[in-house]
Every structure is written in structure tokens, then in C-alpha cells.
Amino acid sequence: MKSTILKTSLAELPVRRGKVRDIYDLGDCLLLVSTDRISAFDWVLPSGIPDKGRVLTQLSRFWFELLDVPSHLISCDVEDFGLPPEIDREPLTGRSMLVRKTDVVPIECVVRGYLSGSGWKEYQSSGTVCGIKLPAGLQESDRLPEPIFTPATKADVGLHDENITFDDMCGRLGKPLAEELRRRSLDIYARGAEYAATHGILIADTKFEFGQIDSELILIDEVLTPDSSRFWPADAYQPGHGQPSFDKQFVRDWLTQSGWDKNSPPPELPADVVTNTRAKYVEAYEHLTGEAFPWK
């Protein structure tokens, strides 16, 4: 089995760790290192998925360039990072981004194009998704009449994001900023989903994050990856039930069937689950970019 990187340590550089990323403070910039950690059911698992961090980083780089919107990305080239010479570059290669620091907008900008997940559950009980009324008679996985914007609060590691209404978002951020975030999120989703559909992938839903530099609003974090989005193979799409996906569904399914109670530390993943999950991440990369994954 290929090796995984679950944690990085770069000399004396200050670091904070999220579920997947190790974030190093370089003064006027940040270095985002996507590890191979994987989370499920609000737990970071003891097993990693080889090259997962590289898929997330390289797909985000691809989308930042393709979408051509203002973003925090400076470079993905390790030699541009200005690191001390004693730091080993190899573990960082392909999984790291040098980015501008921003004042992060404390809202997850979620866009849904299809009826799935928690949205489907809510629709079954109330005919709404995050309070937005939808037409009657929709099935699970149906394409929505038009994409909807459903913001959520950003939660700390280990906690759930909380869906909020757009009016609540306006109250927190002010109406002009909230409306601009909604406009940009829907535009980026529409362009990304249109491109992905021509490459065999339906983007059922996704979340974006934004930051500000001197009042300039820019796209940050990861963009349209298997971790931030629900990717479905277009050739297998059939409304009326859940869809196969290019993400960690193998992991969720195995954990659900394993007997783990989801309240105690999770078990190690079997080798076949790790291998199959890696294959799905790599497949998503290759479908979208049209290129062979460089770290086969």
C-alpha cells in the first residue's frame, strides 16, 4: 500500500491543524498543506488515504485557474514558498499551496443543484431545503429547477456546521455582502457544474469559502473537490434513490457496517477500503482535468 502523510512538522514554523490541513503562518502569507487525513461522522480517522491531499490541492489549483476569479492562491510550487533550506520539500510536493492571508468570512457558502443528503431529508418532512420552498413531487437526487444558495455557519473541528437562512446571513454580515456572496457562489457553481458535466461528473452540491483583503472579496480554501462537493458519475445518474459518488462513500459505508458506535475513537480502515477510496479521488481528478494523476 502507498504511504500516507497524516501530519507534517516544518521546523519551528507556527502551525494549526484542521481536519485535513496543516496551516503554517509564514508572516504575510499562509502555507496550506493538505495531508492524507480523512474524516467521517465528525471524527478524523486513524487511517489516511494515500495522495488524497494531492488530489485536493491539485484539483483546487485546477479550478482556481479555470474559473479565473479573484482568489488567495499565490503558488503551488514548493520552490516559491521561501522555506528554510533544512526543510524536506518532498513531503510537501503536490499537496501544498502558498496563499494570501485574508479576513475569513464566517459563513459556508453552500450551493445545491440536486436534492440529496440532508436536503432530501428536510424536503421529505416539509417540502423545503434550508427553509426554501421547492416544488412538490420531487424524488431523491432530482435536479432542482435552479440551484439554490443555502448558507451555513462555520463550525469548529468536531462540530457540525449549522444551516441558517439567507435573512440570518444578512443580519450577520450585512445585506450587500450577503447578496454578493450569494451571487458569486451561484455563478461559480453554475460555471463549474457546466464544465464538470462535459467531463462525466455531476456536481450535486458544494460549499465555497471567501475571505476579504482590504474589502476585496476573494475565493479561498479548496474549490470543487471531492471533500467540499458531492460528485456523481453522469453515466450512472438515475433519480429516485441515492447515487454512487467520487468521494469517501466507501469509508462511510464500511464504518456504518462495522458496528462502530460513532461516539468512541474510530477503527482502522481495511486495506481494500483505503485502496478503493483512493481510486475514487484519483478518478475524479482525471475525469475533471483530462490528465493522468501525476503520482500514480
Side-chain angles (χ1 to χ4, degrees):
M1 188 184 299
K2 293 173 69 72
S3 62
T4 59
I5 292 180
L6 296 181
K7 183 178 180 181
T8 61
S9 181
L10 305 183
E12 301 302 317
L13 295 177
V15 62
R16 54 188 173 88
R17 305 186 195 278
K19 285 182 179 178
V20 172
R21 286 169 187 76
D22 292 346
I23 304 167
Y24 292 89
D25 192 329
L26 303 185
D28 57 347
C29 302
L30 296 175
L31 179 62
L32 308 185
V33 183
S34 292
T35 71
D36 297 327
R37 297 192 294 266
I38 188 166
S39 64
F41 305 112
D42 295 319
W43 286 85
V44 176
L45 307 183
S47 309
I49 306 299
D51 293 322
K52 174 176 173 285
R54 285 174 166 151
V55 170
L56 301 183
T57 298
Q58 295 306 311
L59 261 183
S60 291
R61 176 194 58 78
F62 169 79
W63 285 115
F64 280 132
E65 294 173 358
L66 182 74
L67 294 166
D68 193 26
V69 295
S71 79
H72 67 165
L73 178 62
I74 298 172
S75 177
C76 290
D77 186 340
V78 176
E79 297 308 317
D80 293 339
F81 296 170
L83 297 172
E86 65 272 17
I87 290 179
D88 184 7
R89 270 64 171 164
E90 199 285 327
L92 303 177
T93 302
R95 64 174 71 249
S96 307
M97 291 194 297
L98 185 69
V99 303
R100 295 186 287 169
K101 283 184 174 178
T102 70
D103 293 321
V104 177
V105 177
I107 296 291
E108 302 274 7
C109 292
V110 180
V111 180
R112 303 170 190 261
Y114 293 77
L115 189 56
S116 184
S118 62
W120 167 240
K121 291 180 182 176
E122 181 184 333
Y123 176 80
Q124 288 177 286
S125 63
S126 63
T128 62
V129 173
C130 299
I132 299 172
K133 189 70 175 175
L134 295 178
L138 296 178
Q139 302 180 82
E140 182 177 9
S141 303
D142 263 344
R143 183 173 182 174
L144 299 177
E146 59 183 15
I148 59 175
F149 179 74
T150 59
T153 58
K154 284 174 59 66
D156 294 330
V157 174
L159 299 175
H160 282 293
D161 296 339
E162 179 185 349
N163 294 331
I164 60 174
T165 65
F166 182 70
D167 285 345
D168 190 0
M169 180 179 173
C170 291
R172 294 168 185 244
L173 302 180
K175 190 173 182 180
L177 178 56
E179 288 182 336
E180 180 62 13
L181 287 165
R182 179 172 63 181
R183 185 193 70 78
R184 290 200 193 189
S185 298
L186 289 168
D187 173 69
I188 294 169
Y189 171 81
R191 292 195 288 131
E194 181 181 17
Y195 171 87
T198 66
H199 288 70
I201 290 180
L202 303 179
I203 303 179
D205 51 48
T206 192
K207 66 177 180 179
F208 302 114
E209 294 193 39
F210 291 87
Q212 292 179 302
I213 300 177
D214 298 328
S215 298
E216 179 194 10
L217 195 61
I218 63 174
L219 188 60
I220 66 170
D221 198 57
E222 62 181 315
V223 180
L224 297 171
T225 71
D227 271 17
S228 67
S229 316
R230 207 183 305 259
F231 288 166
W232 294 340
D235 59 4
Y237 173 63
Q238 186 178 38
H241 53 76
Q243 307 296 305
S245 58
F246 291 98
D247 60 15
K248 49 192 172 188
Q249 196 59 50
F250 282 112
V251 172
R252 294 193 199 96
D253 290 347
W254 183 83
L255 288 170
T256 299
Q257 297 162 10
S258 70
W260 175 50
D261 63 6
K262 301 179 185 175
N263 292 311
S264 56
E268 294 274 353
L269 297 174
D272 64 316
V273 173
V274 171
T275 298
N276 289 335
T277 301
R278 179 186 185 276
K280 282 298 179 186
Y281 274 80
V282 170
E283 189 179 358
Y285 172 89
E286 294 183 339
H287 269 287
L288 289 167
T289 66
E291 301 173 357
F293 185 60
W295 293 273
K296 280 284 194 181

